[in-house]
Amino acid sequence: MVKNYFEYLKKKSSDYGLAFLKGQTINSATFDDANVEIPGRDGFLTMSNKRYKSANLVFKCNVYSKAGIQAVESKIANWLLSDVGWHNLTWSEDPGFTYIAKIDGGLNIERLGKTYGNVDISFLIQPNKFLNEGQSTIAIKNGQTLTNKGTLPAKPLIKITGSGDIKLTIGSVEFDLRKVDQGIILDCESQTATSLDGKRTQFDKLYSNFDAIPVGNNKISWTGSATVEITPRWAVIA
């Protein structure tokens, strides 16, 4: 039985006979800056782009199939390469977290016999990974304190049901909404404002910037008649 696995596109690597090899290497995200030499100045001047770079996550695996290595190679390729966009990725050795990942390159299996071989499966991952507990929607009470349990400012999904002028404050962050009609959904990650059914843009109702929830405790309050639900998306550096 395969104990360690990763899950991608709602399927597990163990379903395809993939087993992790020993000696896995994990690369973390890196900060995007550059050291610049200035004539007449000792050392370097560091120029920061104020962001983190994406990282690579490579799973070194052994694969075995009674049906033969060629057959399982085709199945794995059709699984991993069926959608080359960004998707959720979880793996058993890092429980409690979800990565946002996409396949980096193709798939090459080193055939060691008719029924088994080795394969490196490379993912490009976004520089932050999400705490699974922060992926659930929370019904907020006016005056409630919400704790950002991550190490990075969180970019939440906020659903506000109500009409009229509404000012929502989360810690030091304020969302100024005017003439809301029934409700609005604010996605601070994609920076979109839509109607509750997701079919109409609502940017004309937003009179403030999209912002992130600071790390730590944040009191939430609002003016106007409304109910608020938040999917907080707590995150740490991947």
Side-chain angles (χ1 to χ4, degrees):
M1 179 180 179
V2 178
K3 293 183 179 180
N4 297 322
Y5 63 89
F6 66 87
E7 186 169 343
Y8 184 70
L9 291 173
K10 299 182 180 180
K11 295 181 180 179
K12 295 181 179 179
S13 57
S14 53
D15 297 336
Y16 295 85
L18 290 163
F20 289 177
L21 296 172
K22 293 182 179 180
Q24 300 283 341
T25 300
I26 303 172
N27 297 315
S28 68
T30 57
F31 197 67
D32 186 6
D33 59 17
N35 294 320
V36 181
E37 291 185 341
I38 305 296
R41 179 188 176 109
D42 294 333
F44 294 99
L45 179 65
T46 299
M47 306 293 290
S48 173
N49 289 318
K50 299 181 180 179
R51 71 182 195 105
Y52 290 93
K53 295 180 180 179
S54 295
N56 287 99
L57 183 59
V58 181
F59 296 113
K60 297 180 181 295
C61 300
N62 172 266
V63 60
Y64 169 80
S65 173
K66 290 182 179 180
I69 192 66
Q70 185 171 350
V72 75
E73 179 181 11
S74 177
K75 289 182 179 180
I76 294 171
N78 279 278
W79 162 41
L80 295 175
L81 302 177
S82 63
D83 189 333
V84 295
W86 293 95
H87 301 281
N88 289 349
L89 169 71
T90 59
W91 63 305
S92 56
E93 294 187 9
D94 195 13
F97 292 96
T98 297
Y99 295 80
I100 305 300
K102 64 180 295 186
I103 283 290
D104 187 20
L107 183 69
N108 296 301
I109 293 181
E110 178 189 8
R111 300 185 182 186
L112 303 176
K114 292 183 178 180
T115 58
Y116 66 98
N118 290 336
V119 58
D120 290 352
I121 300 174
S122 179
F123 287 96
L124 185 66
I125 59 173
Q126 296 289 4
N128 54 313
K129 58 183 180 180
F130 296 96
L131 281 72
N132 290 342
E133 63 178 300
Q135 299 293 81
S136 299
T137 300
I138 303 171
I140 304 297
K141 295 180 180 179
N142 203 338
Q144 176 179 339
T145 296
L146 193 62
T147 302
N148 181 347
K149 298 180 180 179
T151 59
L152 299 171
K155 298 177 182 178
L157 179 71
I158 305 171
K159 178 181 178 181
I160 300 172
T161 303
S163 298
D165 295 344
I166 301 167
K167 285 191 177 181
L168 172 67
T169 303
I170 305 176
S172 58
V173 175
E174 184 176 271
F175 296 91
D176 184 4
L177 304 168
R178 302 179 191 178
K179 297 182 180 180
V180 175
D181 178 19
Q182 297 183 344
I184 188 171
I185 295 177
L186 303 174
D187 191 330
C188 296
E189 178 68 40
S190 61
Q191 297 197 353
T192 57
T194 61
S195 56
L196 295 180
D197 59 10
K199 296 180 179 180
R200 293 176 289 117
T201 182
Q202 298 286 282
F203 278 111
D204 60 327
K205 306 294 192 298
L206 180 63
Y207 285 76
S208 57
N209 296 323
F210 291 98
D211 216 326
I213 301 177
V215 175
N217 296 329
N218 295 274
K219 184 178 179 180
I220 302 176
S221 61
W222 60 88
T223 62
S225 178
T227 60
V228 177
E229 296 176 294
I230 295 178
T231 306
R233 297 170 172 164
W234 310 140
V236 300
I237 297 172

